[in-house]
Amino acid sequence: MLEQILTTKRKEVTTLTLPSTWSEVKRASLSAALRKPKRSIGLIAEVKKASPSKGLIRPDFHPVDIAKAYEQAGADAISVLTDVKYFQGHRQYLTDVKQAVQLPVLRKDFIIDRIQIEESVRIGADAILLIGEALPPKTLYELYKEAYEKGLECLVEVHKRETLENILAIFTPEIIGVNNRDLCTFVTSLETTKEVVPFVPADSIIVSESGIGNASDLTTVQTYGAKAVLVGESLMRKEDVGAAVHELFQEVDGIVRSS
């Protein structure tokens, strides 16, 4: 599935047109938000309509309302899917969300080319996702450097220890995501976080991604060493996403620290 998505993305990049520059955007730092989370573990709450493996997740989809509810419920950052074909996302969703919230906004997509970095800047993203299994380490590093030069931060995601070690041989990302879902098979296991975390440098922020459906899962990955989580589907399936955030954290840390 990953290779199929990347094949599509390579074709899309050849015809990508850049939107006008949004000069009024005020950047917010994803790393700063995750280093000082509102709860005992940071939360990147995801705005996600569908996925290749699960199909349509939320028919009644209003990105701005969802993002505002996340913010009010104490999320530390917002992730927005912008891939159209496989996730039914859109880059306009990110722009709309960025204009509506004060939190850092992560662009969740398959970034493989420099033009997508410029696109991310123009649509208002504060950070982008770079997938270790989707790019050669040197290519990933070049995109990482360009993103930071343009004022964006990067969440560098890996699924395998080997992928992480190949990246660390070149550079140390500030934020490292451990995707519990294998993007080739879509099999998900929280044990992935347990297996990969010991090899993440101490100075990097560890984000556990995928498969976190309840408070018990949250406690598990926190025990494994995650400093933040990225949660989408389990929140998006609840009618009240704000209440879903509070429910997720009920056994972990029920008190939101004042900002």
Side-chain angles (χ1 to χ4, degrees):
M1 178 56 74
L2 176 60
E3 187 52 45
Q4 180 181 334
I5 293 172
L6 293 175
T7 298
T8 299
K9 198 60 60 175
R10 294 183 193 108
K11 293 178 182 178
E12 290 178 357
V13 164
T14 62
T15 58
L16 176 63
T17 56
L18 292 172
S20 301
T21 302
W22 180 18
S23 59
E24 298 178 1
V25 63
K26 295 181 180 179
R27 305 290 171 194
S29 172
L30 177 62
S31 61
L34 297 182
R35 288 191 187 280
K36 292 185 177 181
K38 297 181 178 73
R39 295 179 169 93
S40 61
I41 184 170
L43 172 63
I44 304 174
E46 191 153 85
V47 176
K48 180 179 184 178
K49 183 177 182 178
S51 77
S53 60
K54 301 296 178 64
L56 185 62
I57 294 170
R58 192 178 185 90
D60 184 24
F61 185 71
H62 303 284
V64 170
D65 292 342
I66 293 165
K68 285 182 175 180
Y70 282 154
E71 182 175 41
Q72 188 171 3
D76 298 290
I78 306 292
S79 169
V80 180
L81 267 297
T82 59
D83 175 79
V84 176
K85 181 171 182 178
Y86 296 97
F87 291 86
Q88 297 186 38
H90 198 280
R91 66 188 187 186
Q92 187 63 44
Y93 295 160
L94 188 143
T95 300
D96 293 344
V97 167
K98 178 62 180 177
Q99 290 174 327
V101 301
Q102 301 299 312
L103 301 177
V105 179
L106 168 71
R107 181 187 186 187
K108 190 93 171 287
D109 209 317
F110 296 82
I111 305 294
I112 59 171
D113 191 276
R114 295 175 59 194
I115 193 171
Q116 292 169 287
I117 295 177
E118 178 61 29
E119 178 190 32
S120 300
V121 172
R122 295 191 183 196
I123 65 176
D126 297 300
I128 58 171
L129 176 73
L130 293 177
I131 302 173
E133 275 76 22
L135 296 163
K138 289 185 179 179
T139 302
L140 189 149
Y141 182 42
E142 290 302 316
L143 294 175
Y144 183 94
K145 288 192 295 183
E146 176 144 351
Y148 275 82
E149 288 169 1
K150 289 182 176 293
L152 300 177
E153 292 180 302
C154 298
L155 170 59
V156 175
E157 172 188 294
V158 300
H159 175 69
K160 299 177 181 177
R161 169 186 169 184
E162 179 183 5
T163 304
L164 174 64
E165 291 178 335
N166 289 339
I167 291 170
L168 294 178
I170 298 176
F171 77 110
T172 302
E174 184 175 16
I175 311 171
I176 295 177
V178 180
N179 193 347
N180 299 307
R181 179 174 292 120
D182 186 329
L183 292 178
C184 295
T185 64
F186 284 111
V187 173
T188 304
S189 172
L190 297 183
E191 292 299 299
T192 304
T193 292
K194 182 179 182 180
E195 294 165 2
V196 175
V197 161
F199 303 95
V200 176
D203 290 341
S204 297
I205 302 167
I206 303 169
V207 182
S208 183
E209 310 171 38
S210 304
I212 300 162
N214 53 49
S216 177
D217 294 337
L218 190 63
T219 301
T220 296
V221 297
Q222 189 174 27
T223 301
Y224 292 160
K227 301 302 180 186
V229 291
L230 190 154
V231 185
E233 182 183 340
S234 64
L235 299 177
M236 293 297 298
R237 289 193 182 279
K238 301 291 180 64
E239 182 176 353
D240 186 336
V241 297
V245 170
H246 291 300
E247 182 180 349
L248 179 66
F249 279 87
Q250 64 184 358
E251 295 176 20
V252 181
D253 188 352
I255 301 174
V256 179
R257 194 175 64 229
S258 60
S259 57

